[in-house]
Amino acid sequence: MKVCIIGTGYVGLVSSCCFADLGNDVIGVDIDDEKVAKLREGISPIYEPGISDLLKRNLKQGNLNFTTNIKEGIESSDIIFSAVGTPMGQDHRADLSAVMAVAKAIGKYINGYKIVVNKSTVPVGTAEKVEAEIKAAMVENNLSFNFDVVSNPEFLREGAAISDFKNPDRVVVGAKSERARKLISKLYSGIVRTNRPLVFTDVKSAEMIKYAANAMLATRISFMNMLSHLCEKAGGDIKEVAKGIGLDSRIGPKFLQAGLGYGGSCFPKDVNAIMMTLKDYDCDASILEAVESINQSQRLHVYDKVKASLKDLNGKTIGILGVAFKPKTDDIREAPALTLVRKLESEGARVKAFDPEARETTEKYYPNLQFVDTPYAAAKNVDCLVVCTEWDTFRTLNLEQIKEGMKSPVVVDGRNIYDPEEMQKLGFHYSCIGRK
Ligand code: UDX
């Protein structure tokens, strides 16, 4: 099938490569010249396991192309995906300006029946606005063609995006017309299986499903972070609690990990956006208000632990293990580590950091943050070492070597990756989240 994907961020790029790999003719569109030039050479602008191979292979086979020319993308395709960003606006709502600009372009360049698929995370009711915008642009340009607007939210996780795309738990499609349903079924036929179905629903429910999923997952995390405080004060081990409740098949084991709180490009923005939509419709948003507030304070809870150990932070040096908002990504958007770094620096501490992948992205925005080349260098001569991201490589460090290099052996483990008993035996002054 001829597919155009507008926006080559995480979602757009992964979708472009995966749809091409399924044998479709894909054209990826982006306004960023530099990005498009790199993509054409097979260079991925993001770190994502497996993306480079997919990109190179499909470029070589000739079924994947990239352009800055949106007209070319729209005219040459039957299915147009809008995968542009919907960042959090000043008012905490999703900023839909890029989504509406794409709709306007589609209305201007449409040259036949098109299925317009919205993959970006957008508030309920956006498909209607997109439809109206396309119609208005067609009128302005004296055009008249049929089209369908479909909602097909994306659930891929950074770091596991390709396998999530190829083995989704489900593919959600909100569509009004039978014609659109048939074509989208065909497009996904290489992916969906009986136990991982294509879920057809109405457009508004599809829009809601995306926010509901992310808000539910964020709620689980804040719920566990709330209980971790009780474990710290009353006793109990939050990891044991997670295991015990996770074995209940009604609950399940995932997204019960207490830590520094959630970050990234989705959860913080989506929790805020659905909260605003609830308020706009005069609905109670108090659960999500609590989720957001616990998440904010959780980042500083780790700071409190550093402070409790070191007392005065002025002139102290703190090592940070992991800056990315989670492992297997170079993404630092809403990374809890950076909230901590800012707080530590504001108290007069010096910070040095190590991350296996996020150095370049971090240095772009925080050129003053000292980066070192190894985890051991991050621990060298520091008064305290803080684990902010649970990269696997941190789990297997030579902890004796780490301790020898430190000025004082204080470790604050914001992701519970070490065993408290073992750390104490090794002579660390060790604290973690929700367990002793
Ligand atoms: C998320 C959703 O999972 C995905 O479906 C959606 O499309 C985009 O947002 P992503 O942001 O890539 O994906 O990361 P995810 O693995 O979901 O983690 C989100 C945040 O929650 C991270 O900061 C992570 O550290 C945190 N987290 C996750 C926890 O703190 N505890 C957990 O148990 C799980």
Side-chain angles (χ1 to χ4, degrees):
M1 301 178 87
K2 293 199 177 305
V3 180
C4 167
I5 299 188
I6 304 174
T8 59
Y10 278 91
V11 169
L13 181 57
V14 171
S15 307
S16 300
C17 293
C18 290
F19 278 132
D21 214 43
L22 286 169
N24 300 291
D25 244 334
V26 177
I27 182 158
V29 179
D30 206 288
I31 46 172
D32 185 335
D33 302 337
E34 229 175 279
K35 208 188 220 184
V36 167
K38 273 192 175 170
L39 286 167
R40 281 178 166 165
E41 284 173 42
I43 303 167
S44 169
I46 54 163
Y47 169 78
E48 180 64 39
I51 196 79
S52 293
D53 288 350
L54 269 188
L55 180 62
K56 288 195 183 99
R57 184 165 75 231
N58 288 287
L59 280 171
K60 200 168 158 204
Q61 283 168 1
N63 53 335
L64 178 60
N65 281 300
F66 293 95
T67 180
T68 50
N69 187 341
I70 195 166
K71 179 173 186 280
E72 179 193 339
I74 293 166
E75 285 178 346
S76 63
S77 310
D78 308 313
I79 304 183
I80 302 162
F81 280 87
S82 173
V84 290
T86 51
M88 182 154 66
Q90 294 284 345
D91 58 0
H92 291 204
R93 290 179 174 82
D95 177 348
L96 296 180
S97 47
V99 171
M100 298 318 280
V102 167
K104 197 169 183 172
I106 294 172
K108 186 169 174 191
Y109 300 124
I110 189 167
N111 58 342
Y113 173 73
K114 306 276 175 191
I115 297 182
V116 178
V117 188
N118 190 19
K119 251 209 181 305
S120 312
T121 304
V122 291
V124 56
T126 303
E128 280 176 354
K129 290 185 186 159
V130 164
E131 193 175 326
E133 187 76 17
I134 295 174
K135 280 185 181 155
M138 281 200 303
V139 169
E140 222 174 274
N141 293 282
N142 292 319
L143 297 171
S144 174
F145 293 103
N146 283 332
F147 67 94
D148 277 300
V149 178
V150 168
S151 167
N152 171 218
E154 187 50 68
F155 300 100
L156 56 81
R157 292 161 302 163
E158 290 178 22
I162 292 167
S163 64
D164 279 353
F165 191 96
K166 292 194 167 178
N167 303 292
D169 286 347
R170 77 309 199 187
V171 174
V172 173
V173 179
K176 275 194 291 200
S177 90
E178 200 43 42
R179 187 175 183 185
R181 286 181 183 211
K182 275 200 180 128
L183 280 166
I184 297 290
S185 293
K186 198 172 155 203
L187 183 66
Y188 278 106
S189 58
I191 291 179
V192 292
R193 326 248 182 286
T194 347
N195 59 341
R196 291 157 183 261
L198 195 56
V199 179
F200 279 117
T201 182
D202 62 282
V203 176
K204 287 190 174 176
S205 298
E207 290 173 330
M208 287 278 283
I209 286 168
K210 172 64 193 245
Y211 280 110
N214 278 359
M216 171 74 84
L217 293 169
T219 302
R220 284 168 71 101
I221 297 168
S222 280
F223 177 80
M224 293 310 285
N225 281 333
M226 174 187 78
L227 288 184
S228 76
H229 290 245
L230 186 57
C231 287
E232 284 175 14
K233 291 191 171 152
D237 180 330
I238 197 67
K239 276 193 141 178
E240 294 294 310
V241 176
K243 195 161 111 193
I245 62 170
L247 285 166
D248 185 326
S249 61
R250 293 168 301 175
I251 297 172
K254 294 180 182 165
F255 282 76
L256 294 177
Q257 217 177 288
L260 267 88
Y262 57 80
S265 63
C266 291
F267 284 6
K269 140 179 114 63
D270 293 350
V271 168
N272 274 281
I274 182 83
M275 230 155 53
M276 294 314 290
T277 309
L278 284 160
K279 288 179 183 172
D280 287 345
Y281 284 90
D282 242 347
C283 298
D284 186 344
S286 53
I287 291 181
L288 295 178
E289 276 163 353
V291 167
E292 165 73 4
S293 141
I294 290 170
N295 197 53
Q296 294 292 340
S297 55
Q298 194 65 11
R299 296 174 177 202
L300 295 177
H301 185 53
V302 173
Y303 163 79
D304 291 341
K305 285 175 186 284
V306 178
K307 176 99 178 157
S309 293
L310 302 186
K311 311 288 183 261
D312 185 11
L313 291 174
N314 199 18
K316 300 274 167 52
T317 307
I318 317 290
I320 299 284
L321 289 184
V323 179
F325 82 95
K326 67 171 197 175
K328 295 191 188 147
T329 180
D330 61 353
D331 196 341
I332 56 158
R333 283 177 287 178
E334 294 282 339
L338 291 169
T339 311
L340 179 67
V341 167
R342 282 191 289 267
K343 183 71 182 157
L344 291 169
E345 286 180 341
S346 74
E347 296 288 315
R350 278 191 340 109
V351 178
K352 55 176 172 166
F354 170 76
D355 189 286
E357 292 298 338
R359 182 174 189 152
E360 214 176 295
T361 43
T362 309
E363 283 179 341
K364 210 159 129 193
Y365 298 99
Y366 299 90
N368 295 330
L369 178 62
Q370 188 196 347
F371 246 93
V372 290
D373 295 330
T374 66
Y376 298 98
K380 190 91 186 149
N381 288 328
V382 296
D383 298 282
C384 173
L385 186 66
V386 188
V387 179
C388 290
T389 315
E390 65 278 33
W391 284 97
D392 276 343
T393 160
F394 300 156
R395 297 178 196 270
T396 52
L397 293 176
N398 180 335
L399 293 169
E400 281 177 359
Q401 193 183 333
I402 290 279
K403 184 170 162 256
E404 268 162 35
M406 293 174 76
K407 200 194 275 174
S408 64
V410 179
V411 171
V412 177
D413 180 357
R415 297 292 180 184
N416 287 346
I417 62 171
Y418 299 124
D419 177 36
E421 224 173 281
E422 197 193 332
M423 293 300 277
Q424 264 129 34
K425 262 195 214 145
L426 285 166
F428 284 103
H429 178 71
Y430 175 76
S431 54
C432 49
I433 308 290
R435 58 201 306 236
K436 293 235 165 68

